[in-house]
Amino acid sequence: MIYKRGLNLTGMKGAYRQETFRDYKRNMVSATVRFTLPGGTYWERLIDQESRFDRKAHFEKDGSWSGWWWQRPDQSWEDLARADDLWIAEGIFDAWSLGDVAPGASRHAVSTMSCNVYPKKALHKLKEVCAALNVRGPRLVFAYDIGKAGTEYTRKFVEQARDEGWRATAAQPRPEGETEKHDWNDLKRRDRLKPEDLANYLWNGEVLLAENATDKALLLWQKHKWSSFSFIHENRTWWATFDETKIAESMNKEGVSEKFAARKCANVSEIANCAFRLLYKQTDKAIGESHYFLRVEMSDSNHVYRGKCATAAITSAGEFRKVLADVSTAGLWTGSSYQLDKIVERQRPHIKEIQTVDFVGYCRDNKAWLLGDIAVRNGRIYDVNDEDYFDFGDCQLKLRSADPKLDIEYDAERFNTDWFPYLWTAYRGNGLVTLTYWVMSMFAEHIRKGKPLHKSLGFLEMCGLPGTGKSTLVELMWKMCGRENYEGFNPAKATLAATSRNLAKVANLPVVLMEGDRQEASHAKKFDFDELKDIYGGNTVRARGKATGGNETYEPSFRASVVIMQNFGVNSTEAVMERIMSLNFTKEGYSPATKAAAEKLEQWPMEELSGCIIHIIRQEDRWIDAFTKAFPVHIQRMMAEKKVRNDRIRKTHSQLHAGLDALAAIMKIDPAIIAAGHDHIEHIAKTRDQLIQGDHPVVSQFWESYEWFALSDKTLDPSGNPNQLNHSKNPDTIAINLLQFEARCRREGNACPPLDDLRKHLRSSKSRPFVDDKTVDSITGKKVHCWVFQTAEAAKAAKKGA
């Protein structure tokens, strides 16, 4: 009360007590402050991590207080009857704030608990007390919260109170149509409930109660002496003009008061059949675009419309007329460009500038995760506000696109990991490594660009025949992030632009690539995994020009991780292959227990899993600290053991080792399972290193076929020509024409790798090093274009001599 609400406890003894609220459905509890209300019921406000619950305050179930109000225990009915003013607020904390004045001063305030319940019973009792004391009674000041309901019921209840014989008026923290949304408790904490402040709030109330547009315009003119201005009345926009010369002439000629003359000379006209306000300016620095977002309220509807407009639209009456028509169903602007300029001029100083983020996930510049309707920054949870952006205090961020849409249900009290034993049973090491990498993905930007600077993050490959559970595992991982019924996308079925956008639209989340099977038709489009080399280091996904008329380009960085899921392993260059950490999914160890565990995972409700991502990233510091400490230990060990010779493979798999240690720091996992996970990572690192040290599978297949054909190379073909693939006259080299090789494979029933794959990978041949791609003098006496390699014996001799 003292520190969070800024309230003085003096005189409040017995008004409240601390209690406990229980949410039995979710098995959660919170401390509350409970206030006794008339009729024996109560109202309570949660004070312990209230964001965990659907509502922050509760009335007693089936309790009734309707028609009464709550009043301070140090203010009796007699005190209220003798008061000059009685402020009637909506909430208890508002009434407490209004009545909380300096010692020796006096201000009386009560709470009706709701703006739509007239305090009929309480006012009846107050009237009886006034009669018994033979006093006039206080002036009633209805001081309800800002908003459509608060203002409507303020007008209604002031009129009702006056009909019952009370002197009544209203008070508002700000004039109708302005943006400030502070309640009375907010103003108390800002020391803005001094007598001079209250005079302004009462004047705001008079403006609110004005019976017609001319009355309101007159009040505004009397206070500000503006010659022309706009204002809002009954959710319509008006324009008023007061000619000082005409007013003076009327006063001199007719001998009337200034107010009477001003009313007579006032020119008040409607310029829009709605009330609108610019909410904020949305700026996309990446592409150099800005838009304004506005709120539109219609006079004959409770519906509030929101929409965006270009900067040019708020400087032209004609363009703005189109904007209102687009944003609302019946909004109409009839004013001039000058009047629009004046309205915008008044609103602009109060407009916040919101920065847009064109990807879902982690915004490194602001150190915040934006995950749809929920955000996390420095371990704190933020909900998106009514204007669809996140207000972090020192910055405001908005997702420009909600794709991918994440549906996250977060329970702060419970990090549900009941699924993990089933994951281990069904997938063992492959499941643990996949989980480890998925969590690493949530910190991809930290790994690449944090301290210490890794600059890169390896790719995870999940390959294996259909039916080995890859899809079930990936879908489970996505459920942990709030994404259901999704695996990934096939870049072979996407345009270059679509692939680039899929790679760029998330940060600190995985991008799952599902390559088409090798058995697809030969004319099918192929995705070149060489395109992934740059994004390994978080470099540009794709550059495109900005529509500025200049040379500016937009080059978004890769901020995510890559998971490759397909039936066969990736066939690519050595530079790509050494960036991949590969998991091979087989049916080895398949049993009724693994089947049941996988089915359990497949059916696990997303609402129980989706909050995992929030629990994990809220432990950002712990994860990063564990990862940072573990990585140098693992890479130094791998270098010392020399079981893995490739530097890049050592680095990527040491990251995976460190990621597993970091996972253990934020999740309770049996140490024996962690040890088994490290053994599994060690195994896949050695396997990948052996693959890199040897020939690429395409090259190995090529040389296996060549060696098979070499057994019959000294025979003649049916035409009597030598049946020999090697055209080289030099015994230390092999010269092969690829078209002839393909024809030989086809004739003898051998599978031949696609020629495009051969041309791509043969240059990396290690068993028989590549020499050149050129035309040679063939042993046939002809000129033949061949791919030339050293023989295995010549290569060994050259290596030994070196």
Side-chain angles (χ1 to χ4, degrees):
M1 296 294 191
I2 298 173
Y3 300 107
K4 189 171 182 179
R5 292 285 179 172
L7 297 170
N8 183 358
L9 304 185
T10 303
M12 297 297 291
K13 185 176 181 180
Y16 61 90
R17 64 186 185 276
Q18 184 169 320
E19 293 287 347
T20 301
F21 171 78
R22 296 185 181 276
D23 184 334
Y24 290 99
K25 288 184 178 180
R26 293 189 289 175
N27 192 30
M28 294 191 302
V29 297
S30 172
T32 72
V33 177
R34 183 173 294 179
F35 293 82
T36 301
L37 302 181
T41 186
Y42 65 79
W43 173 85
E44 62 184 353
R45 176 65 162 80
L46 278 61
I47 58 174
D48 178 22
Q49 301 180 60
E50 61 270 22
S51 60
R52 298 172 295 161
F53 300 87
D54 297 334
R55 291 186 295 160
K56 299 178 181 179
H58 302 270
F59 288 100
E60 182 182 21
K61 187 177 181 180
D62 300 327
S64 177
W65 47 267
S66 180
W68 292 98
W69 60 45
W70 172 91
Q71 64 191 66
R72 297 168 58 100
D74 60 347
Q75 293 183 351
S76 66
W77 285 95
E78 289 75 14
D79 293 332
L80 300 185
R82 291 190 172 95
D84 294 326
D85 286 333
L86 176 59
W87 290 65
I88 303 175
E90 186 172 336
I92 286 179
F93 292 133
D94 290 326
W96 190 341
S97 299
L98 286 166
D100 189 0
V101 294
S106 177
R107 189 183 303 143
H108 299 79
V110 295
S111 163
T112 58
M113 307 303 302
S114 172
C115 69
N116 58 9
V117 179
Y118 184 71
K120 189 174 184 65
K121 298 175 182 176
L123 287 174
H124 180 73
K125 180 173 180 178
L126 182 60
K127 185 170 286 189
E128 290 179 341
V129 175
C130 290
L133 296 175
N134 194 25
V135 295
R136 185 183 185 186
R139 178 178 65 163
L140 306 182
V141 181
F142 285 88
Y144 288 153
D145 290 349
I146 294 170
K148 190 173 182 66
T151 55
E152 284 183 358
Y153 281 104
T154 294
R155 292 188 183 105
K156 179 180 178 180
F157 290 165
V158 167
E159 182 179 357
Q160 185 172 346
R162 288 173 177 174
D163 289 343
E164 293 176 359
W166 294 97
R167 292 175 299 132
T169 188
Q172 287 274 286
R174 54 94 172 119
E176 183 185 15
E178 298 301 322
T179 58
E180 194 176 37
K181 295 182 179 179
H182 299 316
D183 60 25
W184 302 113
N185 183 241
D186 294 329
L187 296 171
K188 164 68 178 174
R189 284 179 286 168
R190 290 166 173 79
D191 193 28
R192 288 168 56 185
L193 289 182
K194 299 186 290 293
E196 58 270 27
D197 297 317
L198 296 182
N200 285 328
Y201 304 146
L202 287 166
W203 180 83
N204 293 341
E206 287 186 57
V207 174
L208 176 68
L209 296 174
E211 293 186 5
N212 53 56
T214 301
D215 287 349
K216 180 173 285 190
L218 189 59
L219 285 168
L220 292 165
W221 176 79
Q222 285 179 303
K223 181 170 184 176
H224 301 291
K225 297 300 181 181
W226 295 324
S227 60
S228 61
F229 55 90
S230 66
F231 64 96
I232 305 296
H233 181 67
E234 295 183 346
N235 276 344
R236 292 175 179 267
T237 306
W238 301 79
W239 187 265
T241 302
F242 289 84
D243 190 322
E244 295 284 354
T245 302
K246 290 183 179 181
I247 294 172
E249 288 177 357
S250 178
M251 291 172 62
N252 293 331
K253 185 181 295 185
E254 302 176 20
V256 295
S257 66
E258 182 185 55
K259 182 177 180 181
F260 185 89
R263 177 185 289 277
K264 181 180 178 181
C265 298
N267 183 3
V268 179
S269 60
E270 181 184 307
I271 57 175
N273 65 347
C274 57
F276 68 89
R277 172 158 290 281
L278 298 179
L279 297 173
Y280 54 88
K281 183 181 181 182
Q282 175 179 300
T283 302
D284 192 330
K285 294 181 180 178
I287 58 177
E289 291 183 358
S290 294
H291 289 89
Y292 284 92
F293 273 73
L294 69 160
R295 182 186 68 230
V296 179
E297 297 179 69
M298 303 301 298
S299 59
D300 56 353
S301 170
N302 289 327
H303 191 74
V304 176
Y305 300 92
R306 291 181 176 86
K308 71 177 181 178
C309 64
T311 304
I314 62 172
T315 61
S316 166
E319 291 299 315
F320 189 69
R321 187 178 295 115
K322 296 176 185 177
V323 168
L324 281 187
D326 288 339
V327 171
S328 62
T329 56
L332 179 63
W333 172 261
T334 55
S336 67
S337 293
Y338 170 78
Q339 291 168 334
L340 179 62
D341 287 344
K342 288 300 180 181
I343 293 173
V344 171
E345 183 182 343
R346 284 185 60 195
Q347 293 186 10
R348 258 184 173 160
H350 307 288
I351 295 175
K352 289 183 177 180
E353 184 165 356
I354 310 300
Q355 179 184 341
T356 62
V357 177
D358 61 352
F359 51 86
V360 173
Y362 184 70
C363 178
R364 186 167 58 91
D365 291 341
N366 301 100
K367 296 181 172 56
W369 278 268
L370 311 184
L371 304 170
D373 294 336
I374 192 170
V376 180
R377 191 186 192 208
N378 297 326
R380 181 180 171 186
I381 304 296
Y382 295 84
D383 293 320
V384 68
N385 63 17
D386 293 338
E387 275 74 50
D388 295 327
Y389 66 85
F390 295 99
D391 192 341
F392 297 110
D394 60 338
C395 67
Q396 292 77 37
L397 302 178
K398 178 181 180 180
L399 286 172
R400 187 151 62 94
S401 171
D403 181 26
K405 179 174 174 54
L406 304 182
D407 185 10
I408 297 174
E409 292 190 25
Y410 171 63
D411 180 353
E413 287 292 295
R414 188 181 181 205
F415 182 11
N416 185 348
T417 57
D418 296 345
W419 44 268
F420 182 79
Y422 297 96
L423 176 76
W424 178 251
T425 299
Y427 295 101
R428 310 301 286 184
N430 279 350
L432 182 58
V433 170
T434 301
L435 173 63
T436 297
Y437 186 79
W438 215 271
V439 174
M440 286 173 64
S441 301
M442 299 176 193
F443 303 98
E445 284 278 79
H446 298 71
I447 294 172
R448 287 196 191 96
K449 299 172 182 177
K451 294 181 180 180
L453 193 65
H454 283 241
K455 294 186 178 180
S456 61
L457 176 62
F459 310 141
L460 183 71
E461 178 184 68
M462 303 169 66
C463 61
L465 294 175
T468 52
K470 302 187 300 297
S471 295
T472 298
L473 181 55
V474 167
E475 287 186 358
L476 177 76
M477 296 294 107
W478 276 125
K479 285 181 182 179
M480 291 170 55
C481 300
R483 198 171 188 185
E484 194 167 21
N485 298 322
Y486 179 77
E487 293 180 57
F489 81 100
N490 184 351
K493 295 180 180 179
T495 64
L496 175 60
T499 299
S500 299
R501 291 182 181 184
N502 272 293
L503 291 170
K505 69 183 181 181
V506 295
N508 278 13
L509 284 170
V511 175
V512 180
L513 305 179
M514 303 167 63
E515 188 194 22
D517 293 345
R518 303 269 176 80
Q519 291 84 355
E520 288 183 348
S522 59
H523 63 270
K525 177 184 175 183
K526 294 181 180 179
F527 174 72
D528 189 350
F529 279 96
D530 258 12
E531 296 176 22
L532 298 181
K533 283 192 297 186
D534 287 341
I535 67 174
Y536 168 75
N539 296 323
T540 300
V541 174
R542 180 194 180 205
R544 68 175 187 267
K546 293 183 182 180
T548 61
N551 297 323
E552 296 86 353
T553 57
Y554 174 50
E555 302 180 16
S557 299
F558 181 67
R559 308 174 182 91
S561 67
V562 173
V563 175
I564 304 165
M565 186 175 73
Q566 53 192 30
N567 292 341
F568 301 97
V570 170
N571 284 331
S572 189
T573 61
E574 181 175 325
V576 172
M577 300 293 282
E578 64 188 14
R579 286 166 164 81
I580 294 174
M581 302 169 287
S582 185
L583 299 176
N584 185 29
F585 287 75
T586 68
K587 294 188 177 181
E588 183 181 351
Y590 181 83
S591 68
T594 61
K595 180 177 183 292
E599 289 175 348
K600 181 74 173 178
L601 294 174
E602 189 175 29
Q603 297 166 9
W604 211 285
M606 193 180 79
E607 56 267 23
E608 295 184 17
L609 289 167
S610 62
C612 287
I613 185 172
I614 306 297
H615 282 285
I616 290 168
I617 61 182
R618 288 192 73 185
Q619 300 182 77
E620 171 187 4
D621 291 342
R622 184 183 298 178
W623 192 95
I624 294 296
D625 183 60
F627 181 88
T628 302
K629 290 178 179 177
F631 176 76
V633 174
H634 287 291
I635 196 166
Q636 288 170 16
R637 176 185 56 77
M638 292 185 79
M639 292 175 67
E641 292 177 355
K642 298 182 180 179
K643 295 177 181 178
V644 176
R645 289 171 287 176
N646 184 282
D647 288 338
R648 187 170 282 144
I649 292 175
R650 277 200 295 258
K651 180 179 180 180
T652 56
H653 288 76
S654 293
Q655 287 177 333
L656 205 52
H657 278 298
L660 180 55
D661 286 340
L663 179 68
I666 63 172
M667 274 183 62
K668 291 183 179 179
I669 303 177
D670 189 322
I673 293 178
I674 296 296
H678 283 300
D679 289 343
H680 194 64
I681 296 171
E682 202 75 17
H683 169 71
I684 64 176
K686 292 175 184 175
T687 303
R688 176 60 44 164
D689 188 66
Q690 291 168 5
L691 177 65
I692 294 299
Q693 298 304 322
D695 279 331
H696 188 279
V698 168
V699 179
S700 296
Q701 184 181 353
F702 174 82
W703 288 120
E704 284 175 9
S705 295
Y706 174 80
E707 289 172 356
W708 172 257
F709 297 145
L711 296 176
S712 56
D713 271 348
K714 294 182 180 180
T715 65
L716 300 178
D717 67 13
S719 302
N721 297 317
N723 197 17
Q724 188 164 338
L725 288 175
N726 184 6
H727 290 266
S728 178
K729 295 179 180 180
N730 184 346
D732 291 335
T733 62
I734 302 170
I736 302 174
N737 177 272
L738 294 187
L739 293 176
Q740 182 186 2
F741 176 82
E742 182 187 40
R744 180 78 175 270
C745 288
R746 189 165 53 248
R747 187 168 65 246
E748 299 197 16
N750 273 32
C752 178
L755 290 185
D756 285 346
D757 286 355
L758 286 175
R759 293 187 181 100
K760 179 178 179 180
H761 296 296
L762 281 177
R763 296 177 187 276
S764 67
S765 177
K766 293 184 177 67
S767 58
R768 298 164 181 84
F770 172 77
V771 176
D772 204 353
D773 171 11
K774 64 181 181 178
T775 300
V776 301
D777 291 325
S778 170
I779 59 173
T780 63
K782 300 178 181 179
K783 298 284 187 181
V784 181
H785 184 272
C786 293
W787 285 61
V788 183
F789 306 88
Q790 275 188 310
T791 63
E793 294 75 12
K796 289 179 182 177
K799 187 174 182 181
K800 187 175 181 180

